[in-house]
């Protein structure tokens, strides 16, 4: 049946949103930022060149700047705001291993690309808990950083993997 | 720059209604699958006339069917990552498909971009069509019913599909349903293999040139090339076949000198598609190296297939 999609229901970071109005030309990044106020997802190039807008849709990394908002209908989305264990508590302990690792290893400078890089990291470590440097480079192929030179980002991801694995062992 | 401001976004699970909508709206409607290419064109102001976006993602066209060993059928909305993970692109004879999929980066694109989208967008910078062409792919197209008839399916060779950049033989009211790739096309006395090689500025960039080769090699001691299909992308507005180079290596064991001379002679007086990242002259220098690399890989694979008894 022909269905004109003008509003969507979806789950973002564990919260169910209903009847969010979408225009025919809306992409997921605009809805996340302007309608839900989740401005951790950045708009950089706005056509799939930089990776700053990377989010997870049903556990898959996508560029939200070129993902039709209508396709998010009934989907589960994870943004950088959903990485931390608590959104309201701003303490180091409340951060996820990935966030803490970037903080402790200097994996960011201006920070604009960081939310996208962290989301790509999250998807990588979910798939492959022990990535080597090449796995990381492949996973980050779609995330551009103009400050760090990538070295410290790679160090941060290797450290995050260790942190996550050690946390998993102690649980 | 003209703003992209459609009035309607249609998601439908009914092929008939989608076809009718596309036929009725003509150029005011645009098919969208994954949307990665579509939104880039929209942002750059290339499709301001589009008033209705028609998604085909709910038409049930996401499948990879290779139950019959003679060919594999890939639904148009199968994502590039699904196809890559299926490993079907690594099968004997169509290894070029797997090579091309691994060269399409990043993962964020492969997770969303579809096989049908790659085929239909018809821009020189994409990779999969070159590999599909070398592997003799065919398309199944669904056409909106005429006034009295029912919707019909037609099959066409991918070789005949491309007209120009952004222009294929697809008409208003038609959608690509699936891509079919023949498997195990080796003749009785030969081994078949293929390869794809892309040359771009970075591992993550679009191609400057790409090459795909499928060939069969004589099973005996001589190891001569029995048949070959060579396709080149990024050098003209659509992928092109290289019959002059094919003729030079048929019934021979290819060597570097033969391939380089054939390539140089084919393109000596031809202007290749320039871009800000690579002039015609630059591409003319690069192309023989990429063709040689691709042919060598395909040939080595064919020999390897023979040695491993595949």
């Amino acid at each position: 049946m022909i269905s004109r999609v003008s509003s969507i229901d979806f789950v973002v970071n564990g919260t169910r949103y209903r009847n969010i109005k979408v225009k025919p030309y809306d992409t997921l990044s605009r809805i996340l930022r302007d309608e839900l106020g989740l401005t951790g997802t950045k708009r950089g190039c706005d056509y799939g060149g930089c990776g700053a807008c990377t989010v997870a849709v049903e556990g898959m990394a996508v560029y939200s700047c070129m993902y039709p908002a209508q396709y998010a209908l009934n989907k589960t989305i994870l943004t950088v705001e959903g990485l931390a264990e608590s959104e309201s508590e701003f303490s180091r302990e409340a951060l996820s291993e990935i966030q803490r690792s970037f903080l402790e290893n200097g994996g960011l400078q201006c920070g604009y690309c960081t939310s996208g890089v962290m989301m790509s990291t999250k998807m990588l470590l979910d798939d492959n808990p022990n990535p080597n440097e090449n796995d990381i480079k492949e996973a980050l192929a779609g995330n551009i950083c103009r400050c760090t030179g990538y070295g410290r980002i790679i160090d941060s991801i290797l450290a995050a993997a260790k942190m996550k694995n050690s946390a998993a062992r102690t649980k | 720059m003209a703003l992209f401001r459609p009035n309607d976004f249609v998601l439908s699970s009914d092929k008939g209604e989608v076809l009718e909508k596309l036929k009725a709206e003509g150029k005011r409607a645009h098919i969208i699958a994954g949307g990665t290419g579509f939104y880039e064109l929209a942002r750059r102001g290339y499709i301001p006339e589009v008033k209705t976006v028609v998604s085909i993602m709910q038409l049930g066209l996401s499948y990879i069917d290779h139950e019959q060993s003679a060919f594999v059928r890939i639904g148009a909305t199968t994502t590039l990552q699904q196809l890559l993970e299926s490993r079907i692109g690594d099968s004997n004879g169509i290894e070029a498909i797997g090579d091309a999929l691994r060269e399409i980066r990043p993962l964020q694109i492969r997770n969303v971009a579809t096989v049908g989208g790659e085929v239909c967008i018809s821009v020189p910078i994409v990779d999969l069509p070159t590999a599909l062409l070398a592997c003799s792919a065919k398309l199944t197209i669904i056409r909106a019913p005429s006034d009295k008839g029912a919707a019909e399916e037609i099959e066409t060779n991918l070789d005949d599909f491309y007209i120009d950049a952004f222009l294929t033989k697809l008409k208003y009211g038609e959608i690509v349903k699936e891509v079919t790739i023949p498997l195990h096309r080796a003749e009785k006395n030969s081994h078949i293999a293929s390869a794809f090689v892309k040359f771009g500025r970075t591992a993550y960039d679009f191609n400057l040139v790409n090459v795909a080769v499928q060939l069969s090699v004589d099973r005996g001691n001589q190891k001569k090339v029995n048949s070959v299909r060579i396709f080149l992308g990024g050098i003209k507005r659509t992928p092109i076949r290289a019959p002059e180079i094919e003729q030079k290596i048929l019934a021979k064991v290819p060597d570097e000198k033969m391939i380089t001379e054939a390539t140089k002679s084919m393109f000596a007086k031809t202007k290749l598609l320039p871009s800000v990242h690579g002039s015609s002259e630059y591409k003319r220098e690069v192309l023989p190296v990429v063709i040689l690399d691709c042919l060598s890989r395909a040939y080595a694979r064919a020999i390897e297939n023979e040695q491993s008894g595949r």
Side-chain angles (χ1 to χ4, degrees), chain B residues 56-57 59-64 74-79 82 177:
Chain B
I56 61 167
M57 290 303 276
L59 294 185
L61 300 178
S62 175
Y63 55 83
I64 301 165
I74 304 161
T77 59
T78 306
T79 66
Q82 286 170 334
K177 178 190 168 195

Side-chain angles (χ1 to χ4, degrees), chain B residues 53-73:
Chain B
V53 180
V54 182
S55 169
I56 61 167
M57 290 303 276
Q58 289 191 351
L59 294 185
L61 300 178
S62 175
Y63 55 83
I64 301 165
D65 175 7
H66 52 98
E67 284 176 15
Q68 300 194 40
S69 59
F71 50 82
V72 56
R73 298 185 309 121

Side-chain angles (χ1 to χ4, degrees), chain A residues 4 46 49 61 65-66 71 138, chain B residues 8 33 36 43 55 105 204:
Chain A
R4 286 172 179 79
D46 224 13
C65 73
M66 57 202 316
Y71 285 2
E138 185 70 41
Chain B
D8 225 353
T36 52
R43 294 270 197 279
S55 169
R105 295 188 181 88
Y204 145 82

Side-chain angles (χ1 to χ4, degrees), chain A residues 43-86:
Chain A
R43 290 176 76 178
C45 66
D46 224 13
Y47 50 78
C50 73
C53 68
T54 301
V55 300
V57 176
E58 299 289 329
M60 288 189 308
V62 308
Y63 285 149
S64 63
C65 73
M66 57 202 316
Y67 191 83
Q70 293 80 359
Y71 285 2
L73 179 68
N74 297 328
K75 297 259 170 65
T76 300
I77 319 285
L78 182 72
T79 71
V80 71
E81 289 90 346
L83 286 184
E85 284 167 20
S86 164

Side-chain angles (χ1 to χ4, degrees), chain B:
Chain B
M1 187 175 71
L3 279 178
F4 169 66
R5 285 292 179 266
N7 303 319
D8 225 353
F9 189 106
V10 170
L11 257 176
S12 174
S13 53
D14 186 311
K15 286 189 189 83
E17 283 184 286
V18 165
L19 293 168
E20 280 301 325
K21 186 84 183 165
L22 291 168
K23 192 176 176 186
E25 299 246 347
K27 72 173 186 181
R28 288 167 51 85
H30 202 294
I31 302 171
I32 179 175
T36 52
F38 179 83
Y39 279 96
E40 180 159 3
L41 297 178
R43 294 270 197 279
R44 292 176 188 268
Y46 291 160
I47 46 176
E49 73 279 8
V50 172
K51 296 300 169 199
T52 304
V53 180
V54 182
S55 169
I56 61 167
M57 290 303 276
Q58 289 191 351
L59 294 185
L61 300 178
S62 175
Y63 55 83
I64 301 165
D65 175 7
H66 52 98
E67 284 176 15
Q68 300 194 40
S69 59
F71 50 82
V72 56
R73 298 185 309 121
I74 304 161
T77 59
T78 306
T79 66
L80 303 181
Q81 186 65 14
Q82 286 170 334
L83 187 57
L84 179 62
E85 286 176 1
S86 78
R87 305 294 303 267
I88 193 73
D90 297 330
S91 308
N92 281 358
I94 61 166
E95 302 94 333
I97 309 285
D99 292 345
L101 290 167
R102 278 184 283 276
E103 287 292 340
I104 300 169
R105 295 188 181 88
L107 180 63
Q108 289 97 321
I109 294 291
R110 284 203 308 268
N111 278 337
V112 179
T114 63
V115 172
E118 278 274 304
V119 167
C120 293
I121 194 166
S122 188
V123 291
I125 51 176
V126 296
D127 295 315
L128 193 59
T130 315
L132 289 170
L133 282 161
C135 295
S136 306
K138 291 176 191 284
L139 301 180
T140 303
I141 293 169
I142 321 176
R143 181 180 285 169
S146 53
D147 289 345
K148 292 175 185 172
E152 58 176 318
E153 287 190 6
I154 50 171
E155 197 171 78
T156 182
N157 290 324
L158 190 58
D159 295 44
D160 304 324
F161 187 62
Y162 293 109
I163 299 171
D164 201 347
F166 302 109
L167 188 63
T168 67
K169 290 203 170 161
L170 209 60
K171 299 185 181 79
Y172 297 123
E174 293 181 345
I175 57 176
V176 169
K177 178 190 168 195
E178 66 186 21
V179 178
T180 306
I181 309 166
L183 295 171
H184 312 299
R185 290 180 351 105
E187 290 121 37
K188 197 177 172 187
N189 295 317
S190 60
H191 281 280
I192 195 161
S194 67
F196 169 92
V197 174
K198 167 180 176 172
F199 180 78
R201 290 176 307 161
T202 66
Y204 145 82
D205 206 356
F206 290 118
N207 73 66
L208 284 174
V209 301
N210 64 30
V211 178
V213 172
Q214 187 185 58
L215 49 72
S216 65
V217 174
D218 193 42
R219 213 181 264 266
N221 292 330
Q222 303 211 338
K223 313 286 186 222
K224 289 178 182 170
V225 173
N226 282 344
S227 65
V228 61
R229 286 170 66 85
I230 303 175
F231 280 83
L232 315 172
I235 59 164
K236 291 286 173 186
R237 292 164 67 91
T238 64
I240 60 164
R241 195 166 178 178
E244 293 89 338
I245 307 171
E246 292 174 4
Q247 284 303 319
K248 290 275 182 190
I249 62 171
L250 267 180
K252 298 189 184 84
V253 176
D255 65 50
E256 181 174 342
K257 192 176 170 215
M258 179 194 296
I259 296 163
T260 306
E261 279 176 6
T263 309
K264 285 188 172 168
S265 123
M266 181 176 171
F267 295 107
K269 292 177 183 169
T270 311
K271 183 172 182 186
L272 306 183
L273 185 74
S275 77
V276 289
H277 303 308
S279 64
S280 170
E281 292 74 17
Y282 179 67
K283 289 187 177 185
R284 197 177 289 125
E285 287 298 315
V286 162
L287 196 56
V289 181
V290 184
I291 293 175
L292 178 65
D293 188 8
C294 191
L295 262 166
S296 306
R297 283 191 204 189
Y299 187 80
R301 273 180 181 159
I303 302 293
E304 193 183 307
N305 287 349
E306 181 184 9
Q307 286 166 350
S308 61
R310 286 183 289 187

